[in-house]
Protein backbone atom coordinates (compact mmCIF):
# COMPACT_ATOMS: atom_id res chain seq x y z
CA UNK A 1 0.00 0.00 0.00
CA UNK A 2 1.20 3.50 -0.78
CA UNK A 3 -0.06 6.95 0.21
CA UNK A 4 0.26 9.72 -2.38
CA UNK A 5 2.14 12.57 -0.70
CA UNK A 6 2.64 14.63 -3.86
CA UNK A 7 -0.37 16.88 -3.14
CA UNK A 8 -0.87 19.39 -0.29
CA UNK A 9 -3.11 16.77 1.40
CA UNK A 10 -2.25 13.05 1.36
CA UNK A 11 -4.34 10.78 -0.86
CA UNK A 12 -5.27 7.22 0.10
CA UNK A 13 -7.08 5.00 -2.37
CA UNK A 14 -10.65 4.29 -1.22
CA UNK A 15 -10.10 0.60 -1.91
CA UNK A 16 -7.25 0.50 0.62
CA UNK A 17 -9.35 2.27 3.27
CA UNK A 18 -12.32 0.03 2.52
CA UNK A 19 -10.20 -3.04 3.16
CA UNK A 20 -9.05 -1.96 6.64
CA UNK A 21 -12.51 -0.75 7.69
CA UNK A 22 -14.35 -3.77 6.21
CA UNK A 23 -16.45 -1.50 3.96
CA UNK A 24 -16.94 -1.04 0.24
CA UNK A 25 -14.95 1.70 -1.52
CA UNK A 26 -18.24 3.42 -2.38
CA UNK A 27 -19.25 3.46 1.30
CA UNK A 28 -15.88 4.95 2.28
CA UNK A 29 -16.42 7.79 -0.20
CA UNK A 30 -19.95 8.40 1.13
CA UNK A 31 -18.72 8.50 4.74
CA UNK A 32 -15.87 10.89 3.89
CA UNK A 33 -18.22 13.25 2.02
CA UNK A 34 -20.70 13.19 4.93
CA UNK A 35 -17.94 13.88 7.48
CA UNK A 36 -18.63 10.55 9.20
CA UNK A 37 -15.09 9.32 8.50
CA UNK A 38 -12.46 11.82 9.57
CA UNK A 39 -8.68 11.92 9.39
CA UNK A 40 -5.56 13.62 10.68
CA UNK A 41 -2.16 13.90 8.99
CA UNK A 42 1.03 14.34 11.00
CA UNK A 43 4.64 14.79 9.90
CA UNK A 44 7.41 13.34 12.04
CA UNK A 45 10.01 15.59 13.69
CA UNK A 46 13.23 14.85 15.55
CA UNK A 47 13.89 11.12 15.59
CA UNK A 48 10.67 10.60 13.57
CA UNK A 49 11.74 12.97 10.77
CA UNK A 50 11.12 11.47 7.34
CA UNK A 51 7.97 9.64 8.43
CA UNK A 52 4.30 10.53 8.42
CA UNK A 53 1.20 9.32 10.26
CA UNK A 54 -2.25 9.32 8.74
CA UNK A 55 -5.08 8.39 11.10
CA UNK A 56 -8.69 7.72 10.14
CA UNK A 57 -11.70 7.41 12.46
CA UNK A 58 -15.09 5.93 11.72
CA UNK A 59 -17.69 4.78 14.20
CA UNK A 60 -15.61 3.15 16.94
CA UNK A 61 -12.64 2.20 14.80
CA UNK A 62 -9.33 4.03 14.41
CA UNK A 63 -6.86 3.10 11.69
CA UNK A 64 -3.37 4.57 11.63
CA UNK A 65 -0.91 4.31 8.75
CA UNK A 66 2.75 5.14 9.33
CA UNK A 67 4.66 5.75 6.11
CA UNK A 68 8.06 6.89 4.91
CA UNK A 69 8.75 10.09 2.98
CA UNK A 70 7.88 8.35 -0.31
CA UNK A 71 4.46 7.29 1.01
CA UNK A 72 5.27 3.59 1.44
CA UNK A 73 3.22 2.28 4.37
CA UNK A 74 5.56 0.88 6.99
CA UNK A 75 2.98 0.01 9.63
CA UNK A 76 -0.81 -0.22 9.92
CA UNK A 77 -2.68 -0.28 13.23
CA UNK A 78 -6.41 -0.84 13.68
CA UNK A 79 -8.07 -0.47 17.08
CA UNK A 80 -11.52 -0.09 18.55
CA UNK A 81 -12.05 3.20 20.38
CA UNK A 82 -14.69 4.66 22.67
CA UNK A 83 -14.97 7.69 20.40
Amino acid sequence: MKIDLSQPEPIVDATDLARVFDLSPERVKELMRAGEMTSRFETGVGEDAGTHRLTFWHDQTKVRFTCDAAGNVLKTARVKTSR
Side-chain angles (χ1 to χ4, degrees), residues 10-24:
I11 299 171
V12 177
D13 190 286
T15 303
D16 292 329
L17 278 179
R19 190 176 310 115
V20 294
F21 278 100
D22 297 323
L23 300 167
S24 70

Side-chain angles (χ1 to χ4, degrees), residues 38-58:
T38 58
S39 65
R40 180 187 319 166
F41 179 66
E42 302 168 279
T43 300
V45 295
E47 67 181 46
D48 294 320
T51 63
H52 304 279
R53 279 195 319 204
L54 185 53
T55 307
F56 291 88
W57 291 271
H58 169 62

